[in-house]
Amino acid sequence: MTAIQPCGNPCSREIVQEKIKKALCGGVPGLFSDRDPQKTMPDSVLNFEWELFRHFELAPVVEADYPAPNPVIPLKYRQLIGIAIHAETKCQFCAPFHIALAKVFGATDAEIQEAVNYAKHSVGISAYLNGLDFDLDEFLKELDGLIACLKTKIPRTGV
């Protein structure tokens, strides 16, 4: 196969799909395909959307075809964040996607469960604070005190 040349937006669908096939062992997910004309991502954004997807979901395992910095959050943790987000959004597509990728990138069942429990806890506290109309200024003052306290408890070597 010849090298695929990078291109901007818009970029021909054929070039983008070749980039995707090269990156994903010959497959093109429906999200980026033209299998269903009613669900085809417009050519004007296809390359842009693929590059964002590749960057946030798969880099550095799937490298860009141009010089680009890799995300600083390791893949496993990005996928655990995705699990936590979609535990709340209840996306029937995103939850299994992020769980599967998290496992591929080394997450344990215990880490996945903790990510979901963290999301449940965080969303619950948010609902409580907002539902009872807590005073934001008072909350921020309390937060300053909490941060000052925690800084005294963190070992010099970090957490």
Side-chain angles (χ1 to χ4, degrees), residues 7-8 16 55 86 112 117 123:
C7 58
V16 178
H55 179 77
H86 297 296
I112 292 168
N117 278 312
V123 169

Side-chain angles (χ1 to χ4, degrees), residues 50-159:
W50 160 249
E51 290 299 337
L52 284 174
F53 181 87
R54 183 208 56 75
H55 179 77
F56 287 112
E57 304 297 346
L58 305 171
V61 171
V62 173
E63 295 179 1
D65 57 357
Y66 54 89
N70 286 321
V72 296
I73 299 173
L75 274 167
K76 177 173 86 168
Y77 299 111
R78 282 185 263 152
Q79 297 309 320
L80 289 168
I81 292 167
I83 291 168
I85 291 167
H86 297 296
E88 172 55 25
T89 67
K90 299 166 187 65
C91 177
Q92 66 181 351
F93 304 98
C94 296
F97 172 84
H98 290 289
I99 289 169
L101 265 63
K103 288 180 178 182
V104 166
F105 298 137
T108 64
D109 289 339
E111 288 172 318
I112 292 168
Q113 184 177 37
E114 187 169 307
V116 172
N117 278 312
Y118 180 82
K120 173 193 66 77
H121 164 76
S122 186
V123 169
I125 293 293
S126 176
Y128 187 80
L129 291 170
N130 284 292
L132 294 177
D133 196 27
F134 269 68
D135 181 84
L136 178 60
D137 291 332
E138 183 63 29
F139 175 84
L140 293 174
K141 285 179 194 172
E142 291 172 359
L143 177 59
D144 287 342
L146 173 65
I147 296 302
C149 171
L150 291 176
K151 285 181 177 180
T152 68
K153 296 180 178 290
I154 296 175
R156 291 189 187 269
T157 58
V159 272

